[in-house]
Amino acid sequence: METTAYTGSTRWHELVVNKIKFSEPFEWLAKGWRDMIDAARYSLTYGAVIVLISGLLTFVLFSTDSMFLLPFLVAGFFLVAPFLGIGLYQMSAHLEKGEPLKTCNALEAWKSNHTQISMITAGFFIMMQLWIALNYVLFSLLYEGLSPPLDNFFSNVFLSEKGRNFTIASIMVGFFFAWWAYMISVITVPILIDRKIDGFTAIRLSVKSVLQNMPAMMLWAFIIVVIVGLGLMTYFVGLLIALPWVGHASWHAYRSLVPSD
């Protein structure tokens, strides 16, 4: 894919992002749905691979008696989801230009700006590891063993006094990670695919897009959580559609928020 050189200033007050309407996220969803239908063969295959990987990870947790980590791994999914959609952004970019999708894949998207995308992706996975590690620490502070027994896991974690403390602490930590991850990543990977700029500039454009359009971007965050959350709640099967839909829509979010010039 041909990329566009970024020639603007990297000073915060000179980074330009568009002001959008509160209802604009629904337009992104409509455009994302059209892209998913137009690229159904490729998009749904992409979603199926994510479903398969999610199922395998769950099996590994079950096999290693680590199922107590599943809720936190699921929550961590939102931290790495921006990178997981890299191939979907590429598909939308091809559709936008009327280019064929035969050679469209995540590897092609990564190659467009591989150094910066690799560094940003590493950061996402480090955040996810920190999130899981913090929950390990919280468990160790509340329980004698690594985790409560699985046969009464729900009652111990969510209904007991110690469990309520754990749940509150986990939610607070999770909200902190999720909000910061959202701000720095909501359009960062699409920017890096489309433009030859550094990851730090892409992150700052993403953060500024959120701060200057807070109501609309909070709505977009809520929509993402609902759609992807429903996909996760269906034992990952719903991700077959949820992830491609949100991924394509995220490309249009980037196009709407960052001026083409």
Side-chain angles (χ1 to χ4, degrees):
M1 177 182 171
E2 187 176 324
T3 53
T4 304
Y6 180 74
T7 58
S9 172
T10 56
R11 295 178 181 177
W12 175 262
H13 68 280
E14 293 181 352
L15 290 174
V16 180
V17 297
N18 293 326
K19 188 72 176 176
I20 62 173
K21 300 177 296 183
F22 176 74
S23 61
E24 201 139 346
F26 295 110
E27 297 178 20
W28 304 338
L29 281 178
K31 292 176 180 178
W33 184 266
R34 286 197 296 270
D35 283 358
M36 186 176 67
I37 297 301
D38 291 340
R41 173 185 170 187
Y42 302 93
S43 291
L44 296 181
T45 299
Y46 202 95
V49 171
I50 299 300
V51 171
L52 178 61
I53 293 173
S54 300
L56 288 174
L57 287 174
T58 303
F59 176 76
V60 170
L61 292 179
F62 178 79
S63 302
T64 57
D65 292 325
S66 301
M67 283 297 287
F68 73 96
L69 279 178
L70 183 60
F72 315 113
L73 191 63
V74 168
F77 179 87
F78 289 94
L79 300 178
V80 298
F83 168 73
L84 296 179
I86 186 171
L88 300 165
Y89 311 145
Q90 185 79 337
M91 292 179 204
S92 288
H94 276 251
L95 290 171
E96 188 178 87
K97 295 183 177 182
E99 297 174 350
L101 296 175
K102 288 184 179 180
T103 60
C104 183
N105 53 57
L107 181 60
E108 180 194 0
W110 175 76
K111 285 181 177 179
S112 65
N113 200 350
H114 60 92
T115 301
Q116 301 301 321
I117 292 175
S118 296
M119 288 192 297
I120 293 298
T121 302
F124 293 159
F125 279 94
I126 289 173
M127 289 184 67
M128 183 176 180
Q129 290 171 347
L130 286 173
W131 158 245
I132 294 176
L134 282 171
N135 280 286
Y136 263 116
V137 172
L138 289 173
F139 263 118
S140 66
L141 291 174
L142 290 170
Y143 300 100
E144 294 180 0
L146 179 63
S147 69
L150 290 179
D151 56 355
N152 58 354
F153 178 84
F154 183 85
S155 59
N156 275 339
V157 173
F158 297 104
L159 300 182
S160 67
E161 184 177 352
K162 290 194 300 183
R164 283 194 296 272
N165 294 335
F166 169 81
T167 302
I168 293 172
S170 182
I171 289 174
M172 291 176 64
V173 171
F175 180 81
F176 173 81
F177 270 86
W179 182 248
W180 277 102
Y182 173 72
M183 286 208 300
I184 68 176
S185 67
V186 62
I187 57 172
T188 297
V189 178
I191 293 174
L192 292 174
I193 290 174
D194 192 47
R195 306 176 187 228
K196 284 290 186 182
I197 65 173
D198 63 278
F200 184 58
T201 301
I203 286 174
R204 298 207 302 167
L205 279 166
S206 181
V207 172
K208 192 166 187 177
S209 296
V210 174
L211 294 179
Q212 287 196 183
N213 298 282
M214 187 66 74
M217 297 309 289
M218 289 182 69
L219 173 62
W220 181 230
F222 176 76
I223 291 173
I224 292 174
V225 169
V226 170
I227 294 177
V228 177
L230 288 174
L232 293 169
M233 289 171 62
T234 56
Y235 298 98
F236 308 117
V237 176
L239 293 177
L240 178 69
I241 293 176
L243 189 64
W245 188 11
V246 171
H248 288 303
S250 295
W251 173 262
H252 293 287
Y254 152 63
R255 280 303 200 199
S256 178
L257 287 163
V258 181
S260 59
D261 57 353

